[in-house]
Amino acid sequence: MLTTRRRAAAAAVILSGSLLMTSCGSSDSGASDGKTLRLWHYEAPNSAMGQAWNEAIKEFEAKHPGVKVKVEEKGFEQIQKTAPMVLNSSDAPDIMEYNKGNATAGQLSKQGLLTDLTAEAGKRGWDKKLSAGVRTTSMYDANGVMGSGKWYGVPNYAEYTMVYYNKDLFKKYKLAEPKTFDDLTAAMDTFTKKGVTPLANGGAEYIAQQYLYQLALSKADRSWVDSYELYKGKTDFHDAAWTYAANTFADWVKKGYIGKKSTSAKAEDAGVSFIQGKAPILFSGSWWYGRFQSEVKFDWGSTLWPGSNLTLGSGGNLWVVPKNAKNKDLAYDFIDITMSKKIQNLLGNKGGIPVAADASAITDPKSKELISHFNTVSQRDGLAFYPDWPVNGFYDVLVSETQKLMTGSEKPAGYLDALQQAYDKGAPKQ
């Protein structure tokens, strides 16, 4: 989010057996004790990434006798809001998970707060392991625009959004699983008539804006995405796709598909409502998958958003090395181990989407389904990034304006006017 996500912090990260020497600090990072690697990330312990990175920490410490990984618990929003200040200080961590895109990692790179990883990416082969679509968010030009320039981050997983649905509730109400858009809307109609709010939602964070963006994507194509995300053309928020999205989203709120009470709910609230069986449908990212495998007690399934070739997604959040990190060589080693086959295969079997795993090593049936859906999206060039990425501060604009659309205090036309104004203010002049 953005793959924007707010999650509890936990474990963490990386290293590759073949390339690990006895690194002890960085040659260009200033003072370093070479005995501690400070890591910030915000993945839940039972998420696929949290489990894989915990294992990577063990491997790292085993290969670096006397070096300890110090994981510092941070929330997504906390890192999002404080990163520029912290990274510009002597208190910067050695390695950090950070949100990818122009408005986040792109801004930090533009401000000179991140280490250029281009040489390391070539030397360690990271550039060869990442597909073109996933690699887009690793590189930023001098203006902080993704897709070209220098390497400032490395994702060791990929992600995309999908429809999660409660199979038990669908069976209870004799509903077809949502394979078409008509199936989806028919199910939402039935649930609403039975007094069940069908869509899990979090208006205070990224969930609501991603529903709306997906509706727009269902009427868009690749050139539309490139114009919006990469400035390869003019973006008009009153075009057919955005207009359809805003009108449909507002209509869904009126129909009760989306609860007005969810205006102030967080992403975690939306996920928990699905886990507890209260909401039969959640449209969100693959970052929930491992957790759902661990916590959901009913029969559930997932499918790509029906009737759309495009969906939200990209390479995963980035490992970045702050410019002021004191143990850069250890951080590079760390990144390398998360890219190793052992950690990649583990990540895949725990409900993540690895970028460099052995396909034959993924044995869990649900994990195979997850990766199969991702391959479908990837093969049709369907990863459309996230709505908050194009300009700095756009995430907060999307949250507040989408909340207004939910409460009815703003009409679709006014909503689109506000987005156009914020986008035009922040986008590069063409």
Side-chain angles (χ1 to χ4, degrees):
M1 67 181 163
L2 181 112
T3 257
T4 318
R5 315 191 299 259
R6 177 177 184 158
R7 286 181 256 161
V13 73
I14 9 227
L15 221 227
S16 158
S18 61
L19 293 173
L20 295 222
M21 309 292 194
T22 54
S23 310
C24 55
S26 168
S27 58
D28 64 343
S29 59
S32 165
D33 63 6
K35 298 297 182 184
T36 304
L37 185 74
R38 291 179 61 211
L39 168 71
W40 290 7
H41 83 73
Y42 40 81
E43 304 296 338
N46 61 350
S47 71
M49 286 71 75
Q51 292 180 76
W53 297 347
N54 267 328
E55 186 62 32
I57 288 175
K58 295 177 185 176
E59 182 139 339
F60 175 85
E61 291 182 340
K63 292 178 180 294
H64 292 70
V67 179
K68 291 294 180 184
V69 178
K70 181 181 179 183
V71 180
E72 299 184 30
E73 296 189 358
K74 309 290 177 183
F76 175 87
E77 301 285 340
Q78 182 183 11
I79 290 180
Q80 180 95 341
K81 287 180 168 58
T82 64
M85 179 179 65
V86 172
L87 298 193
N88 204 24
S89 73
S90 60
D91 196 41
D94 297 309
I95 185 170
M96 180 174 79
E97 180 188 10
Y98 198 64
N99 195 23
K100 65 274 180 202
N102 303 339
T104 45
Q107 280 295 306
L108 294 189
S109 69
K110 183 180 177 181
Q111 293 164 12
L113 298 176
L114 301 180
T115 300
D116 177 359
L117 302 176
T118 306
E120 292 296 325
K123 183 172 74 173
R124 297 175 184 258
W126 303 333
D127 55 346
K128 302 294 193 299
K129 290 185 176 182
L130 300 179
S131 66
V134 172
R135 196 165 57 237
T136 298
T137 57
S138 295
M139 305 170 71
Y140 297 86
D141 66 16
N143 293 315
V145 178
M146 64 184 179
S148 64
K150 298 177 180 179
W151 282 68
Y152 285 103
V154 181
N156 75 314
Y157 66 98
E159 60 185 38
Y160 68 101
T161 51
M162 70 200 83
V163 177
Y164 294 99
Y165 60 99
N166 184 324
K167 287 188 174 184
D168 288 350
L169 283 178
F170 271 72
K171 288 176 183 175
K172 177 180 177 180
Y173 293 107
K174 299 180 173 57
L175 294 167
E177 294 182 9
K179 301 303 182 186
T180 69
F181 191 70
D182 286 344
D183 289 340
L184 182 63
T185 53
M188 293 193 294
D189 275 335
T190 298
F191 284 125
T192 303
K193 289 173 184 174
K194 299 294 184 181
V196 178
T197 302
L199 297 177
N201 184 47
E205 291 181 348
Y206 63 89
I207 300 283
Q209 62 184 257
Q210 292 187 359
Y211 277 114
L212 199 143
Y213 186 53
Q214 179 59 66
L215 286 167
L217 291 175
S218 70
K219 302 297 182 183
D221 58 18
R222 174 52 58 185
S223 64
W224 185 96
V225 174
D226 288 346
S227 293
Y228 177 62
E229 299 280 0
L230 303 177
Y231 319 122
K232 292 183 177 180
K234 182 173 174 54
T235 289
D236 177 9
F237 282 87
H238 287 279
D239 67 11
W242 281 112
T243 300
Y244 166 79
N247 286 332
T248 302
F249 184 86
D251 185 53
W252 282 8
V253 174
K254 287 179 185 175
K255 288 180 175 178
Y257 297 172
I258 295 171
K260 284 191 175 181
K261 290 183 179 179
S262 66
T263 303
S264 59
K266 308 241 182 225
E268 175 71 8
D269 300 323
V272 169
S273 70
F274 182 77
I275 290 169
Q276 294 176 342
K278 295 177 180 177
I281 303 167
L282 169 67
F283 173 71
S284 194
S286 50
W287 48 88
W288 293 102
Y289 209 90
R291 183 172 174 187
F292 288 172
Q293 284 180 294
S294 299
E295 297 183 25
V296 171
K297 304 303 181 187
F298 50 81
D299 189 15
W300 62 278
S302 67
T303 187
L304 296 172
W305 187 272
S308 179
N309 286 327
L310 298 169
T311 195
L312 297 78
S314 69
N317 284 328
L318 303 173
W319 290 123
V320 299
V321 179
K323 191 70 175 177
N324 290 337
K326 295 181 174 62
N327 293 286
K328 292 186 180 181
D329 288 336
L330 291 179
Y332 304 152
D333 286 347
F334 236 178
I335 294 170
D336 209 44
I337 215 174
T338 56
M339 299 292 282
S340 69
K341 291 292 185 191
K342 176 180 178 181
I343 300 304
Q344 288 287 297
N345 293 345
L346 175 63
L347 192 152
N349 278 308
K350 294 297 183 181
I353 304 170
V355 294
D358 290 321
S360 61
I362 309 303
T363 57
D364 178 80
K366 274 206 176 297
S367 295
K368 284 185 174 182
E369 179 183 71
L370 173 75
I371 294 169
S372 173
H373 286 327
F374 177 77
N375 289 340
T376 297
V377 173
S378 184
Q379 287 162 9
R380 67 190 186 198
D381 192 24
L383 294 176
F385 311 123
Y386 294 88
D388 61 296
W389 280 12
V391 299
N392 194 30
F394 207 45
Y395 174 72
D396 292 333
V397 173
L398 283 165
V399 168
S400 62
E401 294 300 324
T402 306
Q403 285 178 316
K404 292 175 188 175
L405 197 59
M406 290 177 65
T407 62
S409 62
E410 193 160 69
K411 301 302 181 188
Y415 171 82
L416 296 174
D417 285 341
L419 297 194
Q420 187 79 63
Q421 183 178 5
Y423 182 92
D424 289 346
K425 182 179 178 181
K429 303 306 177 198
Q430 297 187 38

